[in-house]
Amino acid sequence: MRADGPTEEPPFDPLALSAAELPRIAARVPVPSYERGVVNSGIMHFGVGGFHRAHQAMYLDALLTAGASPDWGVCGVGVLPADRAMQTVLADQDHLYTLVQKHADGAYEASVIGSIIDYMYAPDDAEAVVRRLADDSTKIVSLTITEGGYAIDDVTGRFNPQAPGIPGDLVTDATPRTVFGLVTAALERRRRERRAPFAIMSCDNLQGNGALAREAFSAFAELRDPHLGTWIREHVRFPNSMVDRITPVTTDEDRAEIGARFGINDQWPVVCEPFTQWVLEDSFELSRPPLEEAGVQLVTDVAPYELMKLRLLNASHQGLCYFGYLCGYTYAHEAALDPMFRRFLRSFMDREATPSLDPVPGVDLAAYKAELIERFSNPQIRDTIARLCAESSDRIPKWVVPVIRYQLSVGGPIDYAAAIVASWARYAEGVDEHGQPIEIVDRRRDEVMARAARQRTDPTAFLKSPELFGDLASDERFVEAYLGALRSLHRHGARRTIEALAYGETLIEPAGIQP
């Protein structure tokens, strides 16, 4: 259902979202037309959050609605303490939730999604999770566990056995607590019983996410049992994928707005932009859902699409967020509507990011880049700058640093990408341009803030982290561009710095001048 414009008075009393209320809710918004009681969880998904529910679960709901096999429902799995809240809400609502697409013209388009049929919180009963994963009904294990959830070192590309939670799961006969422990325990049962393994499908924003997942799970398994590790490398499929849909964090205002516009009392709805894309490598050992019938692009090589999205959309979000925060913006659309930011972002995409891409079949890159800026500018999404600034140490090395390395290798321009890194370094000082504290959300928070705190006397302190930047601190051309931007941020502020970048002014000052 599409609702245009804000609603001052609720048109009807809100109904609590539940299976029993679906017949009444159906008069207000589309609801599942399939019989959810016969749907099976052929997919076990780790990391049920806003993005999964706005994306993969939505595609599967569309397939079930169109009459696809009932084997393609989802059982969510939570492993972190924060996942308890999702378990509780979904259980209260019979695993239903409202998905609302916010159009730039102010219209809201809502539907109730029913493809998630169960949710298991692993700390309650890890053995039950392993049994369900090991059952032949599970054909795919999918993941949205964040960019940092794979315990892969950004510089070496190797699995880190000391990552949080991993050492405990490597103890003989330990109860598995992590996604690695749970999944490999189930795969070990299948191997022992000579049954085919499920596919592991990463849907995180990582280049070669399937290949990284293969490295992480096989390396973990090898530390437990070398034979299991070899079997996983040889027999388990890890399809690569590219996923895209801007999905901000759900707020109390969203809950109230959905109640007012659509008459649904949903404890944890999902709001998102209308745009959605999923490009998936068609590589599965067992059967898979007919995702192409729901608009998914099934391809033999995802890499060109991955690079396009990571280096144009994700890297541009990083270009927008730190400068945007320091300029005083709260929401992404506010910065994206600023002509200087638009010019800066398009220049970064055109001059530095696009040359680093491989040819992308069937995509008009000029149109894609123009559409990105319009998507960022959608005032209805209200995606916060703070959300885009979070977990930077998992994002900058994967989305921006590769652009820098490519351009350095070919002698190309690096001013914009170097300035993005510098804007992060300035933001990581934890104090804005008015002396107000910045809340830094990052798993490496203490480290990055400590390095940022030293950079006014040691200008390259922030770069001297091999885990984040490799050897970039020793590259003279990069350091010169980076320090030019950092000095400008300290001397002139974010707005003057991005203005200079947008209009092609040089930021490089004579050597020896301290910021």
Side-chain angles (χ1 to χ4, degrees), residues 351-409:
R351 295 188 61 207
E352 298 180 9
T354 300
S356 76
L357 304 180
D358 297 326
V360 189
V363 175
D364 179 338
L365 284 178
Y368 179 81
K369 288 180 283 191
E371 183 179 33
L372 282 182
I373 293 177
E374 294 312 311
R375 289 169 61 194
F376 296 166
S377 304
N378 183 339
Q380 302 302 319
I381 298 300
R382 297 178 68 80
D383 198 9
T384 64
I385 295 284
R387 183 186 80 88
L388 301 180
C389 289
E391 302 301 343
S392 310
S393 62
D394 287 331
R395 296 176 172 186
I396 292 285
K398 296 177 176 70
W399 302 339
V400 180
V401 169
V403 173
I404 295 168
R405 292 195 180 282
Y406 172 84
Q407 292 292 6
L408 289 173
S409 73

Side-chain angles (χ1 to χ4, degrees), residues 25-360:
I25 293 173
R28 305 175 181 186
V29 304
V31 303
S33 58
Y34 48 90
E35 176 52 58
R36 295 181 73 233
V38 301
V39 175
N40 300 310
S41 56
I43 299 174
M44 299 279 282
H45 183 81
F46 286 80
V48 176
F51 182 77
H52 170 71
R53 295 189 295 147
H55 197 267
Q56 296 98 26
M58 178 275 298
Y59 282 99
L60 293 165
D61 180 81
L63 285 179
L64 292 167
T65 298
S69 166
D71 290 337
W72 298 116
V74 177
C75 173
V77 183
V79 298
L80 302 175
D83 294 331
R84 172 70 80 183
M86 183 63 71
Q87 178 204 32
T88 300
V89 168
L90 288 179
D92 286 349
Q93 298 184 171
D94 299 315
H95 303 97
L96 298 163
Y97 63 93
T98 313
L99 178 65
V100 179
Q101 300 177 54
K102 293 185 173 183
H103 294 263
D105 63 3
Y108 284 28
E109 190 174 355
S111 60
V112 174
I113 303 297
S115 55
I116 298 175
I117 60 168
D118 199 2
Y119 188 100
M120 305 180 76
Y121 184 59
D124 284 346
D125 192 342
E127 171 58 24
V129 174
V130 173
R131 281 199 308 271
R132 193 151 178 177
L133 287 164
D135 191 88
D136 285 336
S137 63
T138 300
K139 304 296 194 299
I140 297 170
V141 170
S142 57
L143 311 167
T144 47
I145 57 176
T146 77
E147 295 81 16
Y150 292 81
I152 295 290
D153 185 280
D154 290 322
V155 176
T156 67
R158 303 292 297 275
F159 180 73
N160 176 13
Q162 298 305 314
I166 301 301
D169 268 13
L170 291 173
V171 174
T172 303
D173 297 327
T175 298
R177 301 294 183 188
T178 69
V179 60
F180 301 104
L182 294 161
V183 169
T184 55
L187 287 171
E188 169 55 25
R189 293 187 189 184
R190 291 202 180 197
R191 182 182 77 97
R192 188 172 60 244
E193 296 167 8
R194 299 182 182 279
R195 293 184 288 122
F198 43 73
I200 298 178
M201 182 176 71
S202 170
C203 296
D204 281 298
N205 286 316
L206 295 161
Q207 183 179 348
N209 53 15
L212 286 174
R214 174 183 285 109
E215 173 61 27
F217 282 93
S218 349
F220 175 89
E222 284 168 355
L223 293 169
R224 289 293 305 268
D225 176 354
H227 298 293
L228 176 60
T230 299
W231 183 80
I232 288 175
R233 289 188 188 275
E234 293 179 350
H235 297 283
V236 177
R237 300 290 183 89
F238 292 85
N240 289 297
S241 70
M242 182 272 265
V243 296
D244 189 7
R245 184 169 231 180
I246 296 173
T247 308
V249 174
T250 302
T251 66
D252 288 339
E253 291 176 348
D254 292 321
R255 295 178 179 89
E257 188 76 15
I258 289 165
R261 289 180 184 248
F262 302 106
I264 301 173
N265 182 4
D266 187 337
Q267 299 175 62
W268 208 332
V270 185
V271 298
C272 61
E273 64 172 336
F275 180 92
T276 183
Q277 187 177 21
W278 188 1
V279 183
L280 178 63
E281 181 184 5
D282 196 0
S283 177
F284 294 83
E285 174 71 16
L286 304 174
S287 58
R288 64 163 176 81
L291 292 165
E292 64 273 23
E293 296 178 11
V296 179
Q297 296 169 257
L298 274 294
V299 300
T300 57
D301 184 11
V302 175
Y305 302 91
E306 288 177 329
L307 288 177
M308 175 187 74
K309 193 256 182 171
L310 297 176
R311 296 186 184 179
L312 294 179
L313 186 153
N314 295 111
S316 293
H317 261 160
Q318 300 301 286
L320 177 150
C321 66
Y322 312 107
F323 277 115
Y325 190 102
L326 294 169
C327 284
Y329 291 121
T330 300
Y331 295 101
H333 71 268
E334 294 171 335
L337 288 168
D338 184 322
M340 283 194 306
F341 275 80
R342 296 170 79 89
R343 187 181 181 100
F344 169 76
L345 293 177
R346 188 58 190 260
S347 296
F348 163 71
M349 287 192 254
D350 288 344
R351 295 188 61 207
E352 298 180 9
T354 300
S356 76
L357 304 180
D358 297 326
V360 189

